[in-house]
Amino acid sequence: MEHSGVSRGLPIAPEKLRLFFNFYFHFVTTCVLRKRWIGLTIMSVEDLNIEHLENEFAPILNLSATPQVKQPAIEYFLGLTGSDDGKNFIGNSTKFIKCIIELTDDRDDVVAEVACKTLINLATKDTICSRILSSDNFPDVVVKKFEKILNAEYKHADLVCKFLSNLTRPEECARKVADIMKENEDKLKISKFVSVLCKIDHNKEADLHYLAPILANLSQIHHIRDEILSRDQWVIQRLLPFVNYMESDIRRFGVVSCIKNCCFDEEHHEWLLSDKVDILSSLLLPLAGPEEFDDEEMEKLPERLQYLPPDKTREPNPQIRCILLQAILKLCATKKGRLFVKEKNTYIIIRELHKWESQRSNIIPIMNLIDILIGDEPEEGMENLHQVEIPEHLKEKFTKEDQEDEKEYMQ
């Protein structure tokens, strides 16, 4: 449950009062110790309210303020984001949020870095993400932040990526950001960001791994997926090699999640499974181990999965293995997709994975996929698994059976 916020112009609740008084005391003390005087009016407890606080502190959290004043202020605000109370206190003030966003562009690197970290922490709460996106100037902020990611010399690009990754996590927020990108598609084409992601040394000051989760979050939105799946832009084909990018779990997780989201759109399945993309090989390869098969079984496999070396290892991250399985399941939604996946002898890869898998939460998706691969085709009119409506009592029955199967397997 989210903590209730403080209404502008009303007295602050006791816990918020203590929170701010600690801040106020610590900040003034810090400035005095640094022999800096700031023109704050020491107010009575009865007068303490959010509007007053905004008016008092907005001039300090400002680009025009001196570093000696704004640095301890923004550092303390960063400290406040270490708790939910602190995040809610800041997040319920549009003015504070606006000031922090402005300070991410401060000429003082320390101030800019701390402001970015403060935003990253604030954006871990969905309610604050929505408030950030509701500010009047946020479309311009989105454009500027994404342009900074494209800037090969911007030293805080990683922090901006982490902020945008958190901000776009809720689907509603991802939609708002995606719409802003669409309105500015000349500057913010998805293909540009994929190009940056694929160029490992794009920015000497940043690794940009968190750009992948941004793409994953945005791919929740249909028109973003359309850009990624554009047949003349060569976008998803450039992402596929990063399914095996072992240097970063974050980048690999983001890319795999993005690819899975793209598998929701059935109209693209035939193209994705064709030689022009060969998505099935990319999804199966991380799930394959060093097992040997007889020649007949081997020849049925996609070429990239044939005669793998004896030291071949599987994807080490159980979450990523689960997403890969979910993506293959999506490709089995239609009859044509199922038949293709079956013909490529996917079953023997998943069968061996089933023997090897130790992550409890992955057993059910493995078993669900095996059921599809070895089961009979659905009757006429029920070929599209996404369109089949399952009665609630059957859903409960299947869930119970899944849980029993999982328990039996783990024993």
Side-chain angles (χ1 to χ4, degrees), residues 359-382:
Q359 181 67 28
R360 183 171 181 168
S361 58
N362 284 350
I363 301 305
I364 296 304
I366 290 174
M367 294 172 69
N368 288 341
L369 183 52
I370 287 176
D371 285 345
I372 289 174
L373 296 174
I374 65 175
D376 296 331
E377 275 297 301
E379 61 186 65
E380 186 176 348
M382 302 183 72

Side-chain angles (χ1 to χ4, degrees), residues 288-307:
E291 294 83 10
E292 295 182 3
F293 306 109
D294 61 46
D295 290 342
E296 184 179 352
E297 284 191 323
M298 192 72 77
E299 288 174 5
K300 293 178 184 177
L301 287 168
E303 188 174 334
R304 288 167 57 194
L305 279 93
Q306 295 179 11
Y307 304 103

Side-chain angles (χ1 to χ4, degrees), residues 43-159:
M43 62 197 84
S44 66
V45 170
E46 291 77 12
D47 291 334
L48 197 59
N49 61 69
I50 192 67
E51 187 172 12
H52 196 129
L53 301 181
E54 289 175 337
N55 292 335
E56 290 284 357
F57 281 87
I60 300 168
L61 297 170
N62 191 284
L63 291 173
S64 61
T66 63
Q68 292 85 353
V69 169
K70 59 189 169 187
Q71 183 179 327
I74 191 61
E75 285 174 349
Y76 205 83
F77 267 80
L78 173 60
L80 288 178
T81 62
S83 70
D84 280 345
D85 272 351
K87 290 174 188 174
N88 290 332
F89 176 78
I90 299 170
N92 279 292
S93 167
T94 302
K95 187 171 287 188
F96 282 153
I97 290 173
K98 183 179 179 181
C99 290
I100 294 166
I101 290 173
E102 286 180 354
L103 287 183
T104 62
D105 293 324
D106 199 271
R107 288 176 295 180
D108 186 288
D109 275 344
V110 174
V111 172
E113 180 179 340
V114 175
C116 286
K117 290 178 178 178
T118 306
L119 274 184
I120 291 168
N121 291 350
L122 289 173
T124 58
K125 294 185 72 70
D126 293 0
T127 52
I128 298 178
C129 288
S130 297
R131 182 177 286 271
I132 291 172
L133 283 163
S134 66
S135 58
D136 295 338
N137 66 329
F138 200 76
D140 292 335
V141 172
V142 167
V143 174
K144 289 178 181 176
K145 295 303 178 191
F146 273 106
E147 286 181 330
K148 288 185 182 297
I149 294 174
L150 296 175
N151 183 348
E153 297 180 357
Y154 182 59
K155 68 183 298 182
H156 299 309
D158 275 340
L159 295 176

Side-chain angles (χ1 to χ4, degrees), residues 202-221:
H202 174 77
N203 187 327
K204 303 296 185 186
E205 301 286 342
D207 56 42
L208 299 178
H209 294 322
Y210 278 87
L211 179 52
I214 296 173
L215 292 174
N217 295 341
L218 292 173
S219 66
Q220 297 176 88
I221 312 306

